[in-house]
Amino acid sequence: MDLELFCPEDPAEKPLDRPVQDGGLCGIFRTIACVGDSLSSGEFVSRMDGKIGWHDLYDYSWGQYLARMAGCTVYNFSRGGMSAKEYCTSFARENGCWDADKAAQAYILALGVNDLLNLKHPLGSLADICEEDPEKNGDTFCGYYAAIIQRYKRIQPKAKFFLMTMPRSEEDPEKIALAEAHAELLRKLADHFPYTYVLDFHRYAPPYDARFKERFYLDDHLNAAGYLLTARMVASYIDYIIRHNPDEFRQIGFVGTEFYNENFSW
């Protein structure tokens, strides 16, 4: 057997150069929680009798595609229209997302579109983070987004966090600038918090341009194929991160237990 076929070690490899079909090394996680908005909820757009509707069909979410691919349990901590502020101030509490029995080994955060592009919340900076008490974080996107990470780190201290940037698209200059600022902030948050990585779709995903939308969109949201493609990109990116940082995932089987191996780092 050629180990290179399973764990290639090409230093020039980029995160989405090696697509996986079966979840790849995402399979090492037995529980994953997806914190997000409509694009994390399998939302489809209907138009009937002149009326438009938006419908969260979670079985079509990229999280549930990922669950079926990798054979793990994935929680949809998401809803159409979600913002980081709403998640922190009401949604997570009202829907049991902070419950200890739903603690996950990995968290994928995909928030920012509603916060920055639709609700016009201020982006903020790392200065908005109160290390001692996330309830005292600043009233900005960064403050609430960081609070989500801080709260889950208290629930599951050794969990891994993956922060998803916005893919590039054909938008107006203001939206392009906000997406770039959002991506830069998430990179800084990944440096700030331990066990935290960026799924940098802004850099590495294909642009969500007219050609992409012809194949993978239904109105202004993804179609079923688009959500499946997103699941494969998420799985491939996480597989890449694990393969390139094996020591940091060696003890993932102990996350959520009282055990660890002192001969290895977390």
Side-chain angles (χ1 to χ4, degrees):
M1 183 183 77
D2 184 359
L3 189 62
E4 183 70 14
L5 295 174
F6 296 91
C7 295
E9 298 182 2
D10 179 3
E13 179 190 8
K14 293 182 174 60
L16 297 179
D17 283 353
R18 185 176 181 266
V20 299
Q21 307 297 320
D22 60 355
L25 289 175
C26 278
I28 70 173
F29 301 112
R30 306 318 302 145
T31 50
I32 299 173
C34 299
V35 178
D37 51 30
S38 58
L39 296 179
S40 297
S41 305
E43 185 162 294
F44 294 128
V45 181
S46 65
R47 291 185 184 271
M48 302 168 61
D49 301 322
K51 297 180 181 179
I52 187 170
W54 291 270
H55 314 277
D56 288 341
L57 302 182
Y58 291 101
D59 201 40
Y60 282 96
S61 68
W62 55 260
Q64 294 310 314
Y65 277 120
L66 177 60
R68 293 188 286 270
M69 289 162 54
C72 54
T73 296
V74 175
Y75 302 118
N76 283 104
F77 292 167
S78 63
R79 181 185 59 74
M82 184 62 63
S83 68
K85 182 173 183 177
E86 181 185 358
Y87 193 87
C88 286
T89 57
S90 59
F91 180 85
R93 181 185 67 256
E94 292 169 0
N95 291 275
C97 300
W98 304 132
D99 292 355
D101 63 352
K102 295 178 183 175
Q105 293 179 315
Y107 293 85
I108 305 173
L109 276 62
L111 289 168
V113 172
N114 292 309
D115 307 76
L116 304 177
L117 304 186
N118 299 330
L119 299 173
K120 308 297 183 182
H121 289 168
L123 179 68
S125 69
L126 299 190
D128 296 316
I129 301 173
C130 176
E131 303 292 349
E132 294 75 25
D133 184 0
E135 297 291 332
K136 296 180 180 178
N137 283 9
D139 185 19
T140 65
F141 170 72
C142 182
Y144 290 110
Y145 192 96
I148 296 171
I149 299 173
Q150 289 169 286
R151 288 287 300 269
Y152 282 124
K153 282 187 175 294
R154 291 182 176 182
I155 294 169
Q156 192 77 286
K158 301 298 185 182
K160 305 298 185 180
F161 289 79
F162 301 93
L163 317 182
M164 189 185 299
T165 65
M166 303 178 201
R168 291 160 291 140
S169 62
E170 294 178 339
E171 301 285 359
D172 61 66
E174 180 185 6
K175 291 183 177 180
I176 292 172
L178 280 172
E180 291 176 349
H182 172 267
E184 184 58 30
L185 175 64
L186 297 197
R187 295 175 196 130
K188 291 178 180 177
L189 286 168
D191 289 337
H192 180 79
F193 290 111
Y195 319 127
T196 304
Y197 310 84
V198 178
L199 302 181
D200 205 338
F201 281 17
H202 193 73
R203 282 181 175 166
Y204 298 112
Y208 286 23
D209 54 16
R211 180 170 176 266
F212 183 95
K213 292 180 179 179
E214 285 176 2
R215 293 163 172 76
F216 298 112
Y217 263 62
L218 175 65
D219 214 292
D220 61 0
H221 280 67
L222 295 170
N223 60 23
Y227 289 116
L228 175 56
L229 175 65
T230 303
R232 288 180 175 170
M233 289 195 295
V234 169
S236 300
Y237 208 130
I238 294 177
D239 177 85
Y240 166 89
I241 291 172
I242 296 170
R243 285 189 289 105
H244 285 259
N245 302 276
D247 288 344
E248 298 175 28
F249 294 86
R250 196 181 301 274
Q251 297 205 61
I252 200 66
F254 285 144
V255 174
T257 78
E258 62 184 296
F259 308 110
Y260 63 93
N261 189 314
E262 62 186 14
N263 291 333
F264 298 94
S265 67
W266 280 99

